[in-house]
Amino acid sequence: MKKGLRLWALLSIIFVSTLLITNTILYGVILYQDANTGQKREEKLLLSLGKQLALEPAIQQTLQTNNYSEKTEQYTLDVIQIHQLDFIVLMTMDGIRLTHPDKTKIGKHFEGGDEKSALEGRVHISISDGTLGRSLRGFVPVYAHEKQIGVIALGIKLNSLSRLIENSRQQYTLALLISVGIGLLVASIAAYYLKKQLLNLEPKEISRLLTERNVMLDETKDVVVVIDSDETITLANIAASDMYQRLSGTFDSLNGKKIDHLLLDKKQVDFKRTVQQLYRQNGQDYLFSSAPIFVHQKQIGSILFLRNATESLFVTDQLVNTTAYASALQSQSHEFMNKLHIIYGLVDLENYDELKIYLHDILQPEKEFSHRLSVLVRNPVIAGFFIGEREKFAERKTQLIIEISPELPNTTDQKQTTNLINVYRYIHHALLQRYLPEEVTMTIEYNKQRLKTQYHFQLKESEITNFELVFAENYFIQLLADCRGDFQLTTKQQQISLDLATDYKEN
């Protein structure tokens, strides 16, 4: 797998980039607003100061006399220094300067052309070029006895205004650098925290683990669900969803539902025990096991496993039956040779009476069952199953008589064989749970890809009703559906007849 950018670096870049972008935008907005605010503040200062100076008697007297005054000049210079202005100019109604920071400009006409509005009696602000360069100017008319006698022009050069704004920006820049430093620290801490929360896994590793987990859960045939601390299902595989749909008859999602919707009687099991426990539901036996889920040493839930115990036992039985069938065939080979030698000896001795007795003895159905089975049943798995089942019935002092007509062909469809044996095993298991007569007859007839099986035996009247309920279970109905079978139970007094018809396609 090609390695990409590591999660630590990716998270750090995302946090830092977001921080820088937002701070840069905020910084630009603040600087823009600060520049506008600074200019408006200076404009307000110029006009306010101009209005105040317009009320000074010395200023009014100088403008009324239209003569230069050393005292007034010095006063304006002091005001310029106090308020950090660049000039304060008193001009007559003809626009002639009476004061100026540059004494050589006194007595000359005011430059810029923006003083006309003020000479007409209007207070205003403008930006224009003058003898000191481009500047921000404020013009305030001066009145005496309700008659305009002149104008006060106050100004600050744009260069000076820019320096004031720049000094203010330095404070914002320092604040920006401090906030970026703090942001980098917080971003690193956040990235470290998220990395730990993700168990130090990279994004590609998380994606791969999630995909592998989903495939593993969905492909297993066992029911697997994950529950949280409130016993709410947070994850369920396909087998669990299928089981829930069979129980509820709906196609709703199992996620978000309580475990009671899946385990109808959860009191049978203990979620805190990690050993396998037997759980029974709707006549079906399951092997239940659970395991706690810990995250950072804290239990957040549990994972539950539900395995079909009946199927596990069926597979074990099938293995035992196959072994029994192989052993029977091996024994038959030796026994057959021994019988041939005995028959040859009796014929050679011409002892025909003993030969007749011996032949009658070896042809008894009980002793020749395995031999006949190997001839009539070409499917070794089914033949081994029948041998094992006869032994189970024999342990209960009951003879299982199996009659096959004609011979049962072999098949390569393993699933078909398994489904058929599962139905037989269920029926035999139901029989072995009851008091049986000395004989149970099982007749098997094969015709046109269909297998018809009949059981004939007797039961006590007290057991007949319970016996009928066994074949109404959902599990048995599902077994019949798997092998496309039909089943019918007939009772006549104490005589029981079971008729089973299933698909059986030969090679």
Side-chain angles (χ1 to χ4, degrees), residues 193-207:
Y193 173 76
L194 291 177
K195 179 74 172 178
K196 287 298 181 182
Q197 289 294 107
L198 296 175
L199 304 177
N200 291 321
L201 294 175
E202 298 297 324
K204 291 184 178 180
E205 294 174 341
I206 295 174
S207 176

mmCIF file with all atom_site columns, all heavy atoms in Angstrom, residues 193-207:
data_model
loop_
_atom_site.group_PDB
_atom_site.id
_atom_site.type_symbol
_atom_site.label_atom_id
_atom_site.label_alt_id
_atom_site.label_comp_id
_atom_site.label_asym_id
_atom_site.label_entity_id
_atom_site.label_seq_id
_atom_site.pdbx_PDB_ins_code
_atom_site.Cartn_x
_atom_site.Cartn_y
_atom_site.Cartn_z
_atom_site.occupancy
_atom_site.B_iso_or_equiv
_atom_site.pdbx_formal_charge
_atom_site.auth_seq_id
_atom_site.auth_comp_id
_atom_site.auth_asym_id
_atom_site.auth_atom_id
_atom_site.pdbx_PDB_model_num
ATOM 1   N N   . TYR A 1 193 ? -4.404  14.472 20.420 1.00 0.00 ? 193 TYR A N   1
ATOM 2   C CA  . TYR A 1 193 ? -5.571  13.864 21.069 1.00 0.00 ? 193 TYR A CA  1
ATOM 3   C C   . TYR A 1 193 ? -6.368  13.006 20.083 1.00 0.00 ? 193 TYR A C   1
ATOM 4   O O   . TYR A 1 193 ? -6.753  11.873 20.388 1.00 0.00 ? 193 TYR A O   1
ATOM 5   C CB  . TYR A 1 193 ? -6.455  14.960 21.656 1.00 0.00 ? 193 TYR A CB  1
ATOM 6   C CG  . TYR A 1 193 ? -7.766  14.454 22.214 1.00 0.00 ? 193 TYR A CG  1
ATOM 7   C CD1 . TYR A 1 193 ? -7.813  13.802 23.439 1.00 0.00 ? 193 TYR A CD1 1
ATOM 8   C CD2 . TYR A 1 193 ? -8.954  14.628 21.501 1.00 0.00 ? 193 TYR A CD2 1
ATOM 9   C CE1 . TYR A 1 193 ? -9.015  13.323 23.940 1.00 0.00 ? 193 TYR A CE1 1
ATOM 10  C CE2 . TYR A 1 193 ? -10.168 14.157 22.008 1.00 0.00 ? 193 TYR A CE2 1
ATOM 11  C CZ  . TYR A 1 193 ? -10.183 13.508 23.223 1.00 0.00 ? 193 TYR A CZ  1
ATOM 12  O OH  . TYR A 1 193 ? -11.364 13.036 23.708 1.00 0.00 ? 193 TYR A OH  1
ATOM 13  N N   . LEU A 1 194 ? -6.627  13.542 18.891 1.00 0.00 ? 194 LEU A N   1
ATOM 14  C CA  . LEU A 1 194 ? -7.376  12.785 17.887 1.00 0.00 ? 194 LEU A CA  1
ATOM 15  C C   . LEU A 1 194 ? -6.616  11.547 17.440 1.00 0.00 ? 194 LEU A C   1
ATOM 16  O O   . LEU A 1 194 ? -7.205  10.492 17.192 1.00 0.00 ? 194 LEU A O   1
ATOM 17  C CB  . LEU A 1 194 ? -7.685  13.683 16.684 1.00 0.00 ? 194 LEU A CB  1
ATOM 18  C CG  . LEU A 1 194 ? -8.689  14.808 16.936 1.00 0.00 ? 194 LEU A CG  1
ATOM 19  C CD1 . LEU A 1 194 ? -8.855  15.652 15.687 1.00 0.00 ? 194 LEU A CD1 1
ATOM 20  C CD2 . LEU A 1 194 ? -10.047 14.242 17.358 1.00 0.00 ? 194 LEU A CD2 1
ATOM 21  N N   . LYS A 1 195 ? -5.310  11.669 17.346 1.00 0.00 ? 195 LYS A N   1
ATOM 22  C CA  . LYS A 1 195 ? -4.485  10.521 16.975 1.00 0.00 ? 195 LYS A CA  1
ATOM 23  C C   . LYS A 1 195 ? -4.614  9.409  18.009 1.00 0.00 ? 195 LYS A C   1
ATOM 24  O O   . LYS A 1 195 ? -4.741  8.230  17.665 1.00 0.00 ? 195 LYS A O   1
ATOM 25  C CB  . LYS A 1 195 ? -3.028  10.976 16.855 1.00 0.00 ? 195 LYS A CB  1
ATOM 26  C CG  . LYS A 1 195 ? -2.043  9.857  16.492 1.00 0.00 ? 195 LYS A CG  1
ATOM 27  C CD  . LYS A 1 195 ? -2.143  9.451  15.062 1.00 0.00 ? 195 LYS A CD  1
ATOM 28  C CE  . LYS A 1 195 ? -1.015  8.491  14.698 1.00 0.00 ? 195 LYS A CE  1
ATOM 29  N NZ  . LYS A 1 195 ? -1.092  8.026  13.323 1.00 0.00 ? 195 LYS A NZ  1
ATOM 30  N N   . LYS A 1 196 ? -4.607  9.783  19.276 1.00 0.00 ? 196 LYS A N   1
ATOM 31  C CA  . LYS A 1 196 ? -4.763  8.789  20.334 1.00 0.00 ? 196 LYS A CA  1
ATOM 32  C C   . LYS A 1 196 ? -6.163  8.179  20.313 1.00 0.00 ? 196 LYS A C   1
ATOM 33  O O   . LYS A 1 196 ? -6.337  6.977  20.558 1.00 0.00 ? 196 LYS A O   1
ATOM 34  C CB  . LYS A 1 196 ? -4.495  9.431  21.691 1.00 0.00 ? 196 LYS A CB  1
ATOM 35  C CG  . LYS A 1 196 ? -3.020  9.726  21.945 1.00 0.00 ? 196 LYS A CG  1
ATOM 36  C CD  . LYS A 1 196 ? -2.200  8.457  21.954 1.00 0.00 ? 196 LYS A CD  1
ATOM 37  C CE  . LYS A 1 196 ? -0.734  8.731  22.237 1.00 0.00 ? 196 LYS A CE  1
ATOM 38  N NZ  . LYS A 1 196 ? 0.076   7.482  22.191 1.00 0.00 ? 196 LYS A NZ  1
ATOM 39  N N   . GLN A 1 197 ? -7.174  9.009  20.031 1.00 0.00 ? 197 GLN A N   1
ATOM 40  C CA  . GLN A 1 197 ? -8.541  8.499  19.960 1.00 0.00 ? 197 GLN A CA  1
ATOM 41  C C   . GLN A 1 197 ? -8.711  7.483  18.844 1.00 0.00 ? 197 GLN A C   1
ATOM 42  O O   . GLN A 1 197 ? -9.531  6.573  18.924 1.00 0.00 ? 197 GLN A O   1
ATOM 43  C CB  . GLN A 1 197 ? -9.527  9.651  19.756 1.00 0.00 ? 197 GLN A CB  1
ATOM 44  C CG  . GLN A 1 197 ? -9.705  10.547 20.972 1.00 0.00 ? 197 GLN A CG  1
ATOM 45  C CD  . GLN A 1 197 ? -10.345 9.812  22.125 1.00 0.00 ? 197 GLN A CD  1
ATOM 46  O OE1 . GLN A 1 197 ? -9.686  9.496  23.110 1.00 0.00 ? 197 GLN A OE1 1
ATOM 47  N NE2 . GLN A 1 197 ? -11.615 9.523  22.023 1.00 0.00 ? 197 GLN A NE2 1
ATOM 48  N N   . LEU A 1 198 ? -7.918  7.628  17.789 1.00 0.00 ? 198 LEU A N   1
ATOM 49  C CA  . LEU A 1 198 ? -7.980  6.710  16.647 1.00 0.00 ? 198 LEU A CA  1
ATOM 50  C C   . LEU A 1 198 ? -6.990  5.567  16.790 1.00 0.00 ? 198 LEU A C   1
ATOM 51  O O   . LEU A 1 198 ? -6.657  4.894  15.804 1.00 0.00 ? 198 LEU A O   1
ATOM 52  C CB  . LEU A 1 198 ? -7.715  7.480  15.346 1.00 0.00 ? 198 LEU A CB  1
ATOM 53  C CG  . LEU A 1 198 ? -8.758  8.553  15.002 1.00 0.00 ? 198 LEU A CG  1
ATOM 54  C CD1 . LEU A 1 198 ? -8.321  9.328  13.772 1.00 0.00 ? 198 LEU A CD1 1
ATOM 55  C CD2 . LEU A 1 198 ? -10.117 7.935  14.774 1.00 0.00 ? 198 LEU A CD2 1
ATOM 56  N N   . LEU A 1 199 ? -6.497  5.346  18.026 1.00 0.00 ? 199 LEU A N   1
ATOM 57  C CA  . LEU A 1 199 ? -5.601  4.227  18.336 1.00 0.00 ? 199 LEU A CA  1
ATOM 58  C C   . LEU A 1 199 ? -4.337  4.250  17.487 1.00 0.00 ? 199 LEU A C   1
ATOM 59  O O   . LEU A 1 199 ? -3.805  3.209  17.091 1.00 0.00 ? 199 LEU A O   1
ATOM 60  C CB  . LEU A 1 199 ? -6.337  2.891  18.134 1.00 0.00 ? 199 LEU A CB  1
ATOM 61  C CG  . LEU A 1 199 ? -7.639  2.724  18.931 1.00 0.00 ? 199 LEU A CG  1
ATOM 62  C CD1 . LEU A 1 199 ? -8.302  1.404  18.590 1.00 0.00 ? 199 LEU A CD1 1
ATOM 63  C CD2 . LEU A 1 199 ? -7.394  2.845  20.418 1.00 0.00 ? 199 LEU A CD2 1
ATOM 64  N N   . ASN A 1 200 ? -3.844  5.459  17.202 1.00 0.00 ? 200 ASN A N   1
ATOM 65  C CA  . ASN A 1 200 ? -2.596  5.653  16.448 1.00 0.00 ? 200 ASN A CA  1
ATOM 66  C C   . ASN A 1 200 ? -2.651  5.026  15.057 1.00 0.00 ? 200 ASN A C   1
ATOM 67  O O   . ASN A 1 200 ? -1.609  4.635  14.498 1.00 0.00 ? 200 ASN A O   1
ATOM 68  C CB  . ASN A 1 200 ? -1.404  5.081  17.228 1.00 0.00 ? 200 ASN A CB  1
ATOM 69  C CG  . ASN A 1 200 ? -1.090  5.889  18.468 1.00 0.00 ? 200 ASN A CG  1
ATOM 70  O OD1 . ASN A 1 200 ? -1.162  7.117  18.455 1.00 0.00 ? 200 ASN A OD1 1
ATOM 71  N ND2 . ASN A 1 200 ? -0.747  5.212  19.550 1.00 0.00 ? 200 ASN A ND2 1
ATOM 72  N N   . LEU A 1 201 ? -3.850  4.909  14.496 1.00 0.00 ? 201 LEU A N   1
ATOM 73  C CA  . LEU A 1 201 ? -4.005  4.327  13.163 1.00 0.00 ? 201 LEU A CA  1
ATOM 74  C C   . LEU A 1 201 ? -4.068  5.438  12.120 1.00 0.00 ? 201 LEU A C   1
ATOM 75  O O   . LEU A 1 201 ? -4.588  6.523  12.377 1.00 0.00 ? 201 LEU A O   1
ATOM 76  C CB  . LEU A 1 201 ? -5.272  3.482  13.083 1.00 0.00 ? 201 LEU A CB  1
ATOM 77  C CG  . LEU A 1 201 ? -5.297  2.220  13.943 1.00 0.00 ? 201 LEU A CG  1
ATOM 78  C CD1 . LEU A 1 201 ? -6.663  1.562  13.854 1.00 0.00 ? 201 LEU A CD1 1
ATOM 79  C CD2 . LEU A 1 201 ? -4.209  1.240  13.517 1.00 0.00 ? 201 LEU A CD2 1
ATOM 80  N N   . GLU A 1 202 ? -3.535  5.135  10.952 1.00 0.00 ? 202 GLU A N   1
ATOM 81  C CA  . GLU A 1 202 ? -3.590  6.056  9.836  1.00 0.00 ? 202 GLU A CA  1
ATOM 82  C C   . GLU A 1 202 ? -4.937  5.903  9.115  1.00 0.00 ? 202 GLU A C   1
ATOM 83  O O   . GLU A 1 202 ? -5.603  4.861  9.242  1.00 0.00 ? 202 GLU A O   1
ATOM 84  C CB  . GLU A 1 202 ? -2.435  5.787  8.859  1.00 0.00 ? 202 GLU A CB  1
ATOM 85  C CG  . GLU A 1 202 ? -1.063  5.976  9.473  1.00 0.00 ? 202 GLU A CG  1
ATOM 86  C CD  . GLU A 1 202 ? -0.824  7.399  9.917  1.00 0.00 ? 202 GLU A CD  1
ATOM 87  O OE1 . GLU A 1 202 ? -1.304  8.321  9.223  1.00 0.00 ? 202 GLU A OE1 1
ATOM 88  O OE2 . GLU A 1 202 ? -0.182  7.611  10.955 1.00 0.00 ? 202 GLU A OE2 1
ATOM 89  N N   . PRO A 1 203 ? -5.378  6.911  8.362  1.00 0.00 ? 203 PRO A N   1
ATOM 90  C CA  . PRO A 1 203 ? -6.671  6.809  7.660  1.00 0.00 ? 203 PRO A CA  1
ATOM 91  C C   . PRO A 1 203 ? -6.786  5.582  6.769  1.00 0.00 ? 203 PRO A C   1
ATOM 92  O O   . PRO A 1 203 ? -7.828  4.915  6.753  1.00 0.00 ? 203 PRO A O   1
ATOM 93  C CB  . PRO A 1 203 ? -6.719  8.113  6.847  1.00 0.00 ? 203 PRO A CB  1
ATOM 94  C CG  . PRO A 1 203 ? -5.871  9.070  7.611  1.00 0.00 ? 203 PRO A CG  1
ATOM 95  C CD  . PRO A 1 203 ? -4.767  8.240  8.209  1.00 0.00 ? 203 PRO A CD  1
ATOM 96  N N   . LYS A 1 204 ? -5.738  5.263  6.013  1.00 0.00 ? 204 LYS A N   1
ATOM 97  C CA  . LYS A 1 204 ? -5.788  4.101  5.135  1.00 0.00 ? 204 LYS A CA  1
ATOM 98  C C   . LYS A 1 204 ? -5.859  2.809  5.938  1.00 0.00 ? 204 LYS A C   1
ATOM 99  O O   . LYS A 1 204 ? -6.525  1.843  5.539  1.00 0.00 ? 204 LYS A O   1
ATOM 100 C CB  . LYS A 1 204 ? -4.576  4.080  4.207  1.00 0.00 ? 204 LYS A CB  1
ATOM 101 C CG  . LYS A 1 204 ? -4.584  5.197  3.166  1.00 0.00 ? 204 LYS A CG  1
ATOM 102 C CD  . LYS A 1 204 ? -3.420  5.070  2.205  1.00 0.00 ? 204 LYS A CD  1
ATOM 103 C CE  . LYS A 1 204 ? -3.473  6.167  1.131  1.00 0.00 ? 204 LYS A CE  1
ATOM 104 N NZ  . LYS A 1 204 ? -2.338  6.057  0.188  1.00 0.00 ? 204 LYS A NZ  1
ATOM 105 N N   . GLU A 1 205 ? -5.186  2.786  7.084  1.00 0.00 ? 205 GLU A N   1
ATOM 106 C CA  . GLU A 1 205 ? -5.247  1.605  7.940  1.00 0.00 ? 205 GLU A CA  1
ATOM 107 C C   . GLU A 1 205 ? -6.651  1.438  8.525  1.00 0.00 ? 205 GLU A C   1
ATOM 108 O O   . GLU A 1 205 ? -7.163  0.319  8.618  1.00 0.00 ? 205 GLU A O   1
ATOM 109 C CB  . GLU A 1 205 ? -4.220  1.723  9.065  1.00 0.00 ? 205 GLU A CB  1
ATOM 110 C CG  . GLU A 1 205 ? -2.782  1.701  8.585  1.00 0.00 ? 205 GLU A CG  1
ATOM 111 C CD  . GLU A 1 205 ? -1.786  1.963  9.701  1.00 0.00 ? 205 GLU A CD  1
ATOM 112 O OE1 . GLU A 1 205 ? -2.190  2.514  10.744 1.00 0.00 ? 205 GLU A OE1 1
ATOM 113 O OE2 . GLU A 1 205 ? -0.604  1.624  9.524  1.00 0.00 ? 205 GLU A OE2 1
ATOM 114 N N   . ILE A 1 206 ? -7.269  2.543  8.910  1.00 0.00 ? 206 ILE A N   1
ATOM 115 C CA  . ILE A 1 206 ? -8.633  2.487  9.439  1.00 0.00 ? 206 ILE A CA  1
ATOM 116 C C   . ILE A 1 206 ? -9.593  1.984  8.368  1.00 0.00 ? 206 ILE A C   1
ATOM 117 O O   . ILE A 1 206 ? -10.455 1.141  8.627  1.00 0.00 ? 206 ILE A O   1
ATOM 118 C CB  . ILE A 1 206 ? -9.064  3.877  9.941  1.00 0.00 ? 206 ILE A CB  1
ATOM 119 C CG1 . ILE A 1 206 ? -8.199  4.309  11.128 1.00 0.00 ? 206 ILE A CG1 1
ATOM 120 C CG2 . ILE A 1 206 ? -10.529 3.881  10.341 1.00 0.00 ? 206 ILE A CG2 1
ATOM 121 C CD1 . ILE A 1 206 ? -8.453  5.720  11.584 1.00 0.00 ? 206 ILE A CD1 1
ATOM 122 N N   . SER A 1 207 ? -9.461  2.499  7.142  1.00 0.00 ? 207 SER A N   1
ATOM 123 C CA  . SER A 1 207 ? -10.328 2.070  6.038  1.00 0.00 ? 207 SER A CA  1
ATOM 124 C C   . SER A 1 207 ? -10.152 0.585  5.743  1.00 0.00 ? 207 SER A C   1
ATOM 125 O O   . SER A 1 207 ? -11.129 -0.146 5.540  1.00 0.00 ? 207 SER A O   1
ATOM 126 C CB  . SER A 1 207 ? -10.013 2.900  4.789  1.00 0.00 ? 207 SER A CB  1
ATOM 127 O OG  . SER A 1 207 ? -10.757 2.451  3.685  1.00 0.00 ? 207 SER A OG  1
#
